[in-house]
Structure formats: C-alpha cells, structure tokens
Amino acid sequence: MSDSTRIIDVRAAVLQDNDRLAASLKEELRRGGTFLVNLMGSPGAGKTSLLAALLPLLAGRFRPAVIEADLDSKVDADALEAKGWRAAQLRTGGFCHLDAFMVRRGLAELGLVDETDTAPGAPGEICAAGIAGDAPGSAGRGRKIPPYDLVFVENVGNLICTAQVDTGAAMNLALLSVPEGDDKPLKYPPIFAMADAIAVTKADYLDRETFDLAALRGRVAALKPDSRVIAVSARSGEGLAELAEFIAERAAAWLSGAARGDRRAGPRHL
Amino acid sequence: MHELPIIARVLDLATASAPPGAEIVRIRLRVGYLCDAEPLWLERYFRTAARGTQAGSAQLVVTREAGPPPDGAAAKAGAPRGTADTPTAAGASEPDRSAADAAFGYVLESIEVRDAPQRNGP
C-alpha cells in the first residue's frame, strides 16, 4: 500500500452558496422595485427605536415594511405593528446572524418573493402577491407594484457575525450607540468596513468629552472613506431627516436603476 | 459563532472534493483580513466537526490575508457587499483574489488526500 498523498486544487469560496443566493435575491428585488436595507448593530443600540422614528419620515415617499430577526420572541415586530407598520418576525434560534436564505423567508412572508429561489433572469416571480398596478417606470405595461418598496431587515443584535454574511440587501446600515463608545471601529472593523452608512444613535447622550464624533468619523473613513456617519436620536429627532434623505436618495437611485433595467429588458417584463 | 456554519461548509466542500474512500490529510483554507475568524478557533471547531468523517485526522491549515494596503482597500472590499451603485455580481464570490475576497472571503484552496488502497483481483 502506498503512503503517498496528492493535492487536489479546490479553490472554492466557502460561502459561495449564500453569495449566489444573495446576488440572485438582490437582482430579483432590483427588477421588482424593492430597496432592501440591512440594519446591523449591537443589542440595545436602538435599531427598533430608530425604525419606529424613521419610518414616518419615509412613508410619504415609500411603502415601507420591516423584517425583524431575533433569537426568540416577536417583541420587536409586535412593537412596530402596534405603531401600524407591517413587520415580519424571523426567529433565528441560536443563529447569530441572518443569511440570504433567511432574509428570503422574511421577504416571502411580506409577499415580495416566492419562498424558493428563482434563477437570475427569470421574470415574473417577484410580487406574486403584490397589489395589481404598474411599477414605477413601467407605466402602462401591466407590471405589478410590490406591496412594499422599502424594506428594512433588522439583523440579529451583533457587531461581529452580521458583517460576515451577505443578506442580499442593497444597502448596509450599521448602528453605533453613543454609550458603546467611539472606539468600536478599532475593535470591530469588519462591520464598519462593509456598511454604506453609520447611524450614531442615542445622540441625545452625546458628550464630547467621552464620545469624540470627529475621531469616530476618522476611524470609519480609514476603513471606508465613502461611508456616511450621521448622528441621530430617536428621542429628540436629531439627524433623522438627514438619515431619511440619505436612504431615500440611495433607494431612488436603486429604483430608477430598476426602471432603466426595465427599458433595457424590453418585452421580457411585459 | 459564525465559525460553525463556515467550518461545516468547509467540511462539505472538502469531502465532496475528495475521491470516495480517500483519507483527507490536510485542508488549506484562506481567510480574508476582515474575517472575524481566528485560526486557533477555526481549528478547534474543525477538530470536533471533522470527527468521524473522511477528514477526521486532517490538519486544517488556515492562512490569513495580509492587512489592507493604505489606499482604502477596505472601501473597495465593502462595495461588493451591496451598495446601491454597485450591485453584487455572482462572480464576486469567486476565488479571484478581488478586494472583497481578500477582505471578507473564506476560500478553500486545496485538500491533500491519501487514496484508498487498491484491491487486487476479486
């Protein structure tokens, strides 16, 4: 018996299944005209409170909904539904982060996608449960309007694992509350390197001696120079309009891209 | 915590790539510099997860990418995770040494196997 060994070249991305599912979900949402925002932050950073304060500012321009994710309970979804917002709750059990598969389940509960993945390029699968009407940019072509065109997915409270897995969101928004400290980008760089914007929550506690906002901006810029840092307070309302505008601009760009895509795609979407 | 599904997937890929009956003696895994995955803990989880599989006595060799160059490479790495301007392409997950891959990627580079002994005759 030979004791020799041989090397087999694999060169496979370990998370390739999720990455493909996330890319397919992103494309499906783009075609359907829904902007998905992945909201990440520590437990207690104020994710649900921020949503409750932010949604009224966005509701005039969008039809928003929320997907909540927690290890257990539906406390957050109940809190938002009590305020009149549509909220689906995902229970992750012991899972410390959301992946594209789980987010797809939440979107299916909102009636935005089918539960099963569809191959990129296959039209007509999204918004099967949507409200009949024409989507923006496709007037008169009979395409269905999605029931919600702006969906926030509130990830599991966690600064580490949530940054490791692509959810399929078009925008990643990280929250850092003032009590957590301005040194978090030094301690947990991945989430600040992948987020498109950082909302510094509980800004009403902002004390320049103990929380240096300029230093935080510098630390974030070192990781992602084009990231936007916005101080907000769900209690006082500070910064909420700026954050809402930032999200609206990103969403509008995304949705107009979807409309341009429609024109390119032509009859396939009729 | 996210190490567990990653290690499970590494094992899936490694055993799927190994010939039937072969013993996997080494697995080479490359992780990005922004991956929150310390080689020490990955190896520890691997030891437990691999027990009873083709890779039960395999060595997991984890190589971490060097840190970012001082030119905002992390920003480039963030983009493929999904900005409104830059939709992620399926290819972003391919092991092509792109900026995103160097930052966040987990790539199973290779496995080293010892083939099952040949049987002579019936």
Side-chain angles (χ1 to χ4, degrees):
Chain A
M1 169 183 155
S2 166
D3 196 41
S4 64
T5 61
R6 62 193 171 97
I7 292 172
I8 298 174
D9 202 23
V10 181
R11 290 176 53 77
V14 172
L15 299 176
Q16 62 188 352
D17 291 349
N18 182 74
D19 290 344
R20 284 188 186 126
L21 184 57
S24 145
L25 183 59
K26 212 168 289 182
E27 180 54 30
E28 197 173 338
L29 290 173
R30 177 186 282 275
R31 286 201 317 269
T34 298
F35 189 69
L36 181 64
V37 181
N38 177 28
L39 200 65
M40 301 167 292
S42 304
K47 295 184 288 298
T48 311
S49 298
L50 177 65
L51 285 175
L54 195 60
L55 290 175
L57 302 182
L58 291 161
R61 284 178 280 184
F62 300 95
R63 296 179 302 280
V66 178
I67 299 169
E68 289 286 345
D70 285 296
L71 267 60
D72 205 352
S73 91
K74 57 193 294 284
V75 172
D76 287 346
D78 286 347
L80 289 171
E81 293 223 308
K83 291 179 182 296
W85 306 110
R86 177 72 173 95
Q89 179 78 47
L90 293 172
R91 286 195 181 89
T92 64
F95 237 58
C96 51
H97 62 270
L98 290 177
D99 60 18
F101 175 79
M102 288 188 268
V103 169
R104 188 175 188 91
R105 291 288 298 269
L107 290 166
E109 193 173 327
L110 293 176
L112 288 166
V113 297
D114 291 337
E115 281 229 20
T116 50
D117 186 23
T118 54
E125 299 296 337
I126 196 169
C127 310
I131 302 163
D134 292 328
S138 63
R141 285 185 285 166
R143 204 167 144 232
K144 287 179 178 175
I145 292 177
Y148 308 103
D149 56 6
L150 175 61
V151 176
F152 290 89
V153 55
E154 184 183 324
N155 216 315
V156 181
N158 189 319
L159 272 187
I160 305 167
C161 309
T162 51
Q164 303 292 311
V165 181
D166 195 343
T167 58
M171 177 182 165
N172 292 302
L173 176 62
L175 270 62
L176 172 67
S177 67
V178 166
E180 291 174 79
D182 56 41
D183 56 359
K184 288 296 170 290
L186 301 174
K187 296 179 176 179
Y188 303 92
I191 197 166
F192 297 96
M194 58 86 79
D196 300 295
I198 314 295
V200 180
T201 56
K202 307 184 187 180
D204 46 310
Y205 287 112
L206 200 54
D207 171 353
R208 290 182 196 284
E209 289 182 18
T210 56
F211 190 101
D212 188 336
L213 193 55
L216 174 76
R217 288 185 197 279
R219 287 163 186 160
V220 170
L223 291 164
K224 195 166 193 288
D226 62 345
S227 184
R228 183 88 164 262
V229 177
I230 303 172
V232 299
S233 168
R235 183 179 289 176
S236 71
E238 177 188 343
L240 291 176
E242 184 185 351
L243 180 58
E245 194 55 39
F246 178 79
I247 293 167
E249 282 173 10
R250 288 296 185 106
W254 174 268
L255 296 173
S256 67
R260 284 198 301 275
D262 284 348
R263 283 195 289 274
R264 282 196 300 269
R268 283 200 321 127
H269 288 270
L270 289 175
Chain B
M1 186 66 191
H2 57 277
E3 293 92 342
L4 288 172
I6 287 165
I7 284 299
R9 186 68 187 134
V10 166
L11 266 174
D12 284 347
L13 284 171
T15 52
S17 305
E23 176 193 3
I24 302 174
V25 296
R26 194 164 290 110
I27 296 174
R28 293 189 185 280
L29 177 70
R30 178 164 51 83
V31 302
Y33 62 83
L34 281 176
C35 289
D36 272 317
E38 280 301 314
L40 179 66
W41 308 126
L42 287 174
E43 286 156 16
R44 183 179 164 85
Y45 283 125
F46 176 76
R47 289 266 63 80
T48 303
R51 204 170 293 152
T53 73
Q54 270 176 285
S57 25
Q59 177 192 13
L60 178 69
V61 180
V62 182
T63 309
R64 184 179 278 277
E65 294 280 359
D71 64 350
K76 295 175 196 164
R81 285 300 177 99
T83 65
D85 300 329
T86 314
T88 301
S93 65
E94 299 303 319
D96 59 3
R97 313 283 293 182
S98 66
D101 194 36
F104 290 103
Y106 294 84
V107 177
L108 179 58
E109 295 277 24
S110 66
I111 59 173
E112 190 173 340
V113 299
R114 181 179 291 119
D115 286 315
Q118 298 282 333
R119 288 185 178 178
N120 293 323

